[in-house]
Amino acid sequence: MALQPTPENPIPSLELITEGAVNDRKAKTRSNAELDTAVVVAPVSKEEPIVTRRELWSYYLYYNGDNGVGPNGYSMTLFQSLATAAGYDPLKGPGSSCLAPDSSGRCVLPWAGATKAVSSVVLIANGVSFAVMTLIFTTIGSAADYGTFGRWLLLVITVICWGAQFAGMSLTSPDRWGVSMGLYMIGFITYGATLVFYAALFPRLARNTPHARQLREKYENGEIPAEVYETEESLEKNRISNISTMHSNIGYIITLALNLSLLLPRANDPKVDNYVLVLTTGYWVITGIWWFIFQQPRPGPSLPKGEHYLTVGWKQIWQALKQYKKLPYTFTYLLAFFLLADGLNTTGTLVSICQNDKFQFSFLYNTYLGLSQAVTSTISTLGFWYIQKYWKISTKKMFVVTNVVTIMIPLWGMIGIWTTKFGFHNVWEFWAYNVVFGLFQAPYYAFSQTMMAELSPPGFDNMFFGLFGLSNRASSMIGPNVIQAIIDNTGDNWKGFPFLFALCTAASLVIWCRCNERTTRGSGVG
């Protein structure tokens, strides 16, 4: 974690970010040369406006609409459906249908002068999308910490995502599968970016709630010890993170329930899926617009003279990387989470591909499954938060519990290589998967971003959350490319699960054994 205020070291005008500098009373006397090589942060300013109830609720409502039903769910289903309808059975040759009753179960599309399995095409779309996210997060992620750039950045990428989703109304025939792929990628990229830059806002909000301000004043006045301050501040971050995650799940439920009002009465309408995509996006517009109206100004420092928004990010990242020895847990966590998120995100994509094949790309069945996941996600988020608050359990311990289930998902898929009785071959397994995913993976996302907040220096929230986004959303450049190659060579979706199991297990072990979010005590090494 970044430098925290202490009675002898109150919140300063500018401080060094070093885990070991918490009790370094000589930090202010370092030479300019030393300061040039250190990472510095803007302080937690008492002049920043206190978070109002209206502002906090508008923050929650944005995530209520930005729940992923469209860009992370329906868009992929529509894309895979059109691609499958446009493809052919490789065992029967061009002109055959992948949807025929006597098809072999394999489906390919013309691709770069050859053919490629539809599942591989979907995974390639995901891999390219994550690569673009990487460019976004590394190039302009840090720039969002300066001035009001971050505020406008979130607005622009949100509007682009809305536009891509509304454009899904034009995807009505198999010959438009290429357009569908492009719109899916645009929507998926901007959706991933909205999650990252939205999450980057919450540490600053958490530091400026009335409760957090009171805690800081008590700490500065010596009324509470450092341990109490650190625990209570962490709980405040977890409170906002868990409540916002809960609102995302509530929005997920409401969106899916609204969609049933179209999917059930218009089940035989060939354009019903397109109408549903428009309705889903419309809900996000209605709930998300308020954040841009009620957000209070908390601008960062001015962009340094001679710097540019497109280059300052890379310079900031380079400066931060040079400090890795002073922020060991931060960078260990980012690296391990890169691999863990790669494994989990690719596992989710692979299970979704299997699920879409099983339910024949039905928006209706996916809605029912999504409802089961959303309901359990809401319950589990509240449950995990209550357990953590009641027993004051650390963020890491809560995160470890969710990691265990993360490992079990690809392990279960591995079983499907050797038998069709288990391993995502049966309808009941997809119901079970969505319930289990909801129970453990919603808290997983909440605790993972709280871990990042506790390891991020104040004032550089966007930069470190940009790196976190790189580890989370943009990490899946490895998994999809490896898995699509495996599927192309074997023709078997299930052969990809062993690699994902190994990836998730290795990353989890590093987080369990080598990361500690409590880095501000004593020397800062836990």
Side-chain angles (χ1 to χ4, degrees), residues 249-319:
N249 293 320
I250 291 174
Y252 203 91
I253 295 172
I254 295 173
T255 302
L256 293 175
L258 284 173
N259 291 341
L260 289 177
S261 67
L262 284 176
L263 290 168
L264 291 174
R266 305 184 70 89
N268 297 321
D269 189 333
K271 294 184 179 180
V272 66
D273 292 348
N274 307 84
Y275 297 147
V276 165
L277 200 54
V278 170
L279 177 62
T280 298
T281 309
Y283 177 80
W284 182 10
V285 173
I286 292 172
T287 58
I289 195 67
W290 303 108
W291 169 246
F292 302 107
I293 296 173
F294 295 129
Q295 178 187 9
Q296 297 188 86
R298 295 184 184 87
S302 300
L303 192 69
K305 187 176 181 179
E307 297 292 346
H308 192 277
Y309 282 111
L310 294 179
T311 58
V312 69
W314 290 98
K315 292 181 180 179
Q316 288 281 15
I317 291 171
W318 176 243
Q319 284 282 53

Side-chain angles (χ1 to χ4, degrees), residues 3 22 26 40 81 159 207 256 353 388 393 400 405 422 434 452 464-465 474 496 498 521:
L3 181 65
V22 178
K26 298 180 180 179
V40 293
S81 174
V159 171
R207 293 195 295 267
L256 293 175
I353 288 171
Q388 184 188 29
I393 303 173
V400 166
V405 178
F422 303 102
N434 279 277
M452 188 68 254
F464 278 89
F465 268 86
R521 297 179 183 173

Side-chain angles (χ1 to χ4, degrees), residues 72 185 196 204 282 293 309 320 409 422 457 477 489 512 520 524:
N72 200 36
M185 291 171 64
V196 170
R204 182 165 291 184
I293 296 173
Y309 282 111
I409 294 173
F422 303 102
M477 295 182 291
N489 290 329
W512 300 347
T520 60

Side-chain angles (χ1 to χ4, degrees), residues 434-472:
N434 279 277
V435 169
V436 171
F437 191 95
L439 287 174
F440 291 94
Q441 294 310 297
Y444 160 91
Y445 288 116
F447 291 127
S448 68
Q449 72 177 22
T450 304
M451 280 279 289
M452 188 68 254
E454 295 188 349
L455 291 166
S456 295
F460 276 106
D461 301 311
N462 279 286
M463 182 180 77
F464 278 89
F465 268 86
L467 292 174
F468 179 64
L470 178 63
S471 295
N472 185 9

Side-chain angles (χ1 to χ4, degrees), residues 4 7 52 224 254 284 308 319 342-344 391 446 460:
Q4 296 290 352
T52 64
I224 56 175
I254 295 173
W284 182 10
H308 192 277
Q319 284 282 53
D342 191 356
L344 178 62
W391 279 286
F460 276 106

